[in-house]
Amino acid sequence: MLPEKPLPADPPDVPLAVDLDGTLVRTDTLHENLLALFKLAPWVLLLLPLWVLKGKAFFKAEVARRAALDASRLPYNEELLAFLREEQARGRRLVLATAADRRIADGVAAHLGLFSDVYASDGTVNLSGARKLARLKETLGTFDYAGNDGVDLPLWRESHRVVVVHAPAGVLKQARGLGREVHRVFERPRVGPRVWVKALRVHQWAKNALVFVPVLAAHKVMEPGLLLKAVLGFVAFSLCASSVYVLNDMLDLESDRRHPTKCKRPFAACALPVSTGVVLAPALLLAGAAVCLLLPPAFSALLATYYVLTLAYSLRLKQVVMLDVLVLAGLYTVRIFGGSLAVGVPTSSWLMMFSMFLFLSLALVKRLSEVRRLRQANETSAHGRGYLAQDYEQLASLGAAAGQVSVLVLALYITSKEVTALYSHHEWLWLLCPIMLYWVGRVWVLAHRGLVNEDPLVFALRDRVSYVVGLAAAVVLWVAR
């Protein structure tokens, strides 16, 4: 927050009108309303064109009526809030003036307890631009105005003093050229490359390395043509997965803001606007589809199935107890099957069984960590999930059992005929069993201690012991060959 120049404090009798979207909150409440409505009842979106025909005010009212936002979970501009509290303490009259629907504005005003009056759209009148200016002049006479966008320039032109909040450089320049005193400038945070990397969840792309498993298991990694197809499959899955992550983050805004770590995600923290995500998600999906044109049609069909299943998970399935972890395990296994289709190498049924049980165990590790946080916070249930704090022991027993079954499947595979065809010294493969038992058991012990607070595969990528275990397994496979 930077003052333009030393200025005497405004007299308390000059009211300060404050905009909502992009100013008081670092998001657009209409955009978040639409996302909440899409998550709640996607079919209702078919009615949007009819609501638009009846005017913007009616449109906003219908959306707000069907998908209420929790005012306590909105991303407020804390720097501006501190300024407003100081002004209120001085006895200044604060007014919330917004084009958002009254339901949202009233909820924000009630939550903050700062505003003596609220002017908002009411289902008939869309209070933006000239209408907002006319309302402020009629009710307040002289006023200061805090806004953030080019649409606020006419209000700044007629205001006593100007407060600019997180405005683009061009808008800030125009505000300074209006001939009004710019009382406060709240600088817009910069968006660096790290924000985009976090939004795309590039670190999660490591999961897509599973597409290389079929070509590795078939001992054909040295064939350049097959390896290139596997790389293209990895790229397609990564682009598609990032599209899903962006969409999931936008649909989970309220739940993420309640979470101790997920609240820092770019869309939940409003480091990136929701409108950016609406464009980014389909763009990434189209890029992934373009890569699929270089691969067999069967791979494209599988990737489309993966996307639909992931979308269904984001909208509904993750709220269903146990079905959510089965879907997560299935999505991991789909990556392996996708690698098989990309390179044209058949996938062993043993590999699919092993991966399904192993990934079910890891998915349960993730849920166990979430339920453990519930217990620590003395909460009974997780927002947007179907699990209760009392499910901890049951999840632990199911997950540990699934991990042990995966090792049993591995042991049965070692005794099968397929092994003798691929490995000259297959007896060495028995060493994989204690290695896997150690790794799975260690992950579960650490999960019980609260040391696995993220996706278990991402945890493994940051865990030195997991690298040692992976190296030991690779040595065993090389010796057995």
Side-chain angles (χ1 to χ4, degrees):
M1 180 181 71
L2 300 174
E4 282 293 298
K5 56 184 179 180
L7 291 171
D10 272 342
D13 58 346
V14 177
L16 173 60
V18 183
D19 183 37
L20 178 62
D21 295 327
T23 303
L24 183 60
V25 296
R26 294 177 292 110
T27 187
D28 189 305
T29 54
L30 178 59
H31 293 166
E32 295 210 9
N33 256 147
L34 287 169
L35 287 170
L37 182 60
F38 175 70
K39 183 177 182 179
L40 184 65
W43 60 270
V44 175
L45 297 185
L46 298 175
L47 300 175
L48 295 186
L50 298 177
W51 298 343
V52 171
L53 291 175
K54 294 184 178 182
K56 289 184 178 179
F58 182 85
F59 173 77
K60 293 176 181 178
E62 289 299 304
V63 174
R65 182 171 67 86
R66 287 172 168 81
L69 296 179
D70 184 352
S72 66
R73 296 298 173 181
L74 289 174
Y76 292 97
N77 186 327
E78 295 298 334
E79 195 177 10
L80 176 62
L81 275 181
F83 168 70
L84 294 178
R85 291 188 178 106
E86 291 175 1
E87 295 300 292
Q88 186 192 46
R90 291 177 51 238
R92 194 170 190 189
R93 180 184 177 188
L94 303 179
V95 174
L96 183 60
T98 175
D101 185 72
R102 175 160 289 277
R103 291 178 180 84
I104 298 172
D106 285 344
V108 169
H111 172 66
L112 295 177
L114 291 172
F115 302 101
S116 59
D117 296 284
V118 176
Y119 306 140
S121 299
D122 58 6
T124 303
V125 176
N126 184 48
L127 198 71
S128 65
R131 291 189 181 93
K132 184 191 290 188
L133 176 59
R135 177 72 63 85
L136 292 177
K137 292 177 70 174
E138 176 188 353
T139 56
L140 303 179
T142 302
F143 62 90
D144 288 358
Y145 184 75
N148 71 294
D149 199 72
V151 72
D152 296 315
L153 289 169
L155 288 101
W156 280 327
R157 187 178 290 111
E158 298 292 329
S159 66
H160 173 60
R161 281 182 173 177
V162 172
V163 177
V164 184
V165 183
H166 291 184
V171 173
L172 177 58
K173 183 178 180 180
Q174 292 181 71
R176 284 172 170 161
L178 293 175
R180 299 291 180 181
E181 292 181 347
V182 179
H183 183 43
R184 290 286 190 275
V185 174
F186 295 85
E187 297 288 349
R188 192 178 196 182
R190 295 184 178 180
V191 179
R194 290 185 64 182
V195 174
W196 291 97
V197 170
K198 287 183 67 176
L200 298 179
R201 296 208 218 166
V202 173
H203 65 283
Q204 297 280 10
W205 289 2
K207 300 177 185 178
N208 301 319
L210 292 170
V211 301
F212 293 99
V213 169
V215 72
L216 288 169
H219 298 174
K220 296 184 178 181
V221 70
M222 300 306 294
E223 298 184 23
L226 295 183
L227 186 59
L228 176 60
K229 289 181 178 180
V231 170
L232 291 173
F234 171 83
V235 172
F237 259 107
S238 297
L239 291 170
C240 187
S242 287
S243 172
V244 173
Y245 288 137
V246 170
L247 182 58
N248 181 74
D249 285 354
M250 291 191 297
L251 295 176
D252 273 357
L253 289 174
E254 186 174 333
S255 296
D256 286 351
R257 287 168 185 159
R258 296 172 182 266
H259 196 277
T261 57
K262 293 179 181 180
C263 62
K264 299 177 183 178
R265 288 176 175 175
F267 291 104
C270 290
L272 290 176
V274 170
S275 56
T276 297
V278 172
V279 175
L280 188 60
L284 290 167
L285 179 60
L286 289 174
V291 175
C292 285
L293 297 176
L294 304 175
L295 294 169
F299 177 84
S300 301
L302 180 75
L303 193 61
T305 302
Y306 165 83
Y307 193 90
V308 171
L309 187 58
T310 307
L311 181 60
Y313 172 82
S314 297
L315 291 174
R316 285 289 182 273
L317 300 184
K318 67 181 177 183
Q319 301 173 16
V320 183
V321 174
M322 286 308 299
L323 181 58
D324 64 328
V325 289
L326 289 173
V327 171
L328 282 179
L331 291 174
Y332 282 118
T333 306
V334 161
R335 290 172 167 92
I336 296 177
F337 192 45
S340 174
L341 295 177
V343 301
V345 174
T347 303
S348 166
S349 58
W350 290 106
L351 176 61
M352 302 306 286
M353 283 191 292
F354 169 76
S355 63
M356 191 65 197
F357 282 109
L358 177 62
F359 295 135
L360 175 59
S361 179
L362 297 182
L364 286 165
V365 166
K366 189 174 182 179
R367 289 294 173 265
L368 185 85
S369 300
E370 294 173 354
V371 171
R372 187 176 187 276
R373 278 194 293 269
L374 286 179
R375 285 190 164 189
Q376 291 177 330
N378 292 321
E379 297 178 3
T380 57
S381 61
H383 186 268
R385 304 287 185 184
Y387 294 95
L388 304 176
Q390 66 194 47
D391 296 330
Y392 185 87
E393 288 76 12
Q394 186 64 29
L395 290 174
S397 60
L398 289 172
Q404 302 304 310
V405 171
S406 70
V407 180
L408 174 61
V409 172
L410 175 62
L412 293 174
Y413 167 69
I414 293 172
T415 63
S416 68
K417 297 179 180 179
E418 289 91 335
V419 169
T420 57
L422 287 173
Y423 297 92
S424 302
H425 306 284
H426 61 274
E427 62 275 3
W428 285 98
L429 294 177
W430 284 108
L431 291 176
L432 292 176
C433 292
I435 290 174
M436 283 301 303
L437 286 170
Y438 166 74
W439 186 79
V440 170
R442 179 175 178 271
V443 167
W444 273 98
V445 169
L446 294 180
H448 273 281
R449 294 177 180 177
L451 299 178
V452 183
N453 295 316
E454 56 194 337
D455 189 296
L457 285 186
V458 176
F459 162 80
L461 291 173
R462 299 172 179 173
D463 177 44
R464 293 182 180 179
V465 174
S466 294
Y467 281 100
V468 174
V469 170
L471 178 61
V475 169
V476 169
L477 290 171
W478 182 76
V479 172
R481 188 177 177 184

